[in-house]
């Protein structure tokens, strides 16, 4: 499979896109119950969303790392997700002269990190991480979130399958290239098609 170096791959429908986050039970439990993020979730902090399930598994160690014992699948409106991308700035200097001022005023940061396989091995292409702060966090919590599902048990099942060297392809969400509206690809630094 020939995957572009920087491309958003995600599970999505016509209305929504799935992103992942991992928290401790004190944040995850109330969020699942309320179907939105509520206290003790802190709106004042940057919160990172990830469309790649396997990258989330790498980050949280299949729900085994301290403070990341519960994995949540968050269904966001595609309009909200695209707003975040449109109002973003790369976390690293992109070489354009106005980067320092853009990164200071942007409510969204974009990072491209090596995508991961089931054994946490780095793959030769990148996965997007999206950091939300300020107005973006408010919109994420109050407007964009359509549903929150606890996927901790599927994460643990996948970890057990990986440990026994079983084929995990059937356990993975169906992620495919996400179609970006015109102009956003350059903003977030995707690879040309």
């Amino acid at each position: 499979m020939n995957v572009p170096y920087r491309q958003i791959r995600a599970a999505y429908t016509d209305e929504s896109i799935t992103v992942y986050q991992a928290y401790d039970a004190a944040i995850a439990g109330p969020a699942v119950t309320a179907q939105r993020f509520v206290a003790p979730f802190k709106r004042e902090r940057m919160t990172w969303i990830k469309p790649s399930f396997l990258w989330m598994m790498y980050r949280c160690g299949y729900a085994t790392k301290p403070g990341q014992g519960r994995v949540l699948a968050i269904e966001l409106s595609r309009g909200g997700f695209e707003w975040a991308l449109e109002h973003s700035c790369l976390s690293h200097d992109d070489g354009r002269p106005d980067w320092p001022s853009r990164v200071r005023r942007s409510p969204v940061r974009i990072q491209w990190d090596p995508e991961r396989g089931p054994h946490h091995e780095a793959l030769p292409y990148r996965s997007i991480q999206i950091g939300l702060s300020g107005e973006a966090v408010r919109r994420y919590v109050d407007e964009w979130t359509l549903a929150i599902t606890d996927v901790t048990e599927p994460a643990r099942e996948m970890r057990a399958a990986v440990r026994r060297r079983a084929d995990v392809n059937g356990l993975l969400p169906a992620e495919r290239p996400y179609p970006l509206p015109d102009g956003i690809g350059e903003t977030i630094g995707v690879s040309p098609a």
Side-chain angles (χ1 to χ4, degrees), residues 54 57-62 115-122 162:
L54 280 175
M57 295 304 95
Y58 164 72
R59 180 70 179 90
C60 72
Y62 288 103
E115 179 61 283
R116 299 294 170 156
H119 299 277
H120 303 321
E121 70 276 16
V162 165

Side-chain angles (χ1 to χ4, degrees), residues 119-180:
H119 299 277
H120 303 321
E121 70 276 16
L123 300 177
Y125 48 89
R126 299 288 170 152
S127 182
I128 195 169
Q129 273 60 249
I130 304 159
L132 308 175
S133 65
E135 179 184 4
V137 173
R138 182 191 61 75
R139 288 173 179 257
Y140 174 60
V141 171
D142 296 335
E143 300 171 19
W144 305 341
T145 300
L146 305 175
I148 300 175
T149 305
D150 189 323
V151 293
T152 306
E153 281 311 309
R156 290 180 177 152
E157 289 169 16
M158 178 170 279
R159 180 176 186 254
V162 165
R163 294 180 93 184
R164 66 176 185 272
R165 301 191 192 300
D167 181 5
V168 297
N169 287 324
L171 300 174
L172 292 170
E175 295 175 355
R176 55 201 164 112
Y178 186 83
L180 291 170

Side-chain angles (χ1 to χ4, degrees), residues 7 9 25 28 31 39 56 58 70 73 78 92 101 117 137 184 187:
Q7 175 191 62
R9 292 166 304 280
M56 184 72 259
Y58 164 72
R70 299 273 296 275
R78 283 181 60 172
H92 64 279
S101 63
V137 173
I184 291 180
T187 301

Side-chain angles (χ1 to χ4, degrees), residues 89-92 98-107 109:
C89 183
L90 293 173
S91 325
H92 64 279
D98 61 339
W99 179 81
S101 63
R102 280 187 292 118
V103 79
R104 274 193 305 276
R105 69 177 185 268
S106 174
R109 301 278 189 286

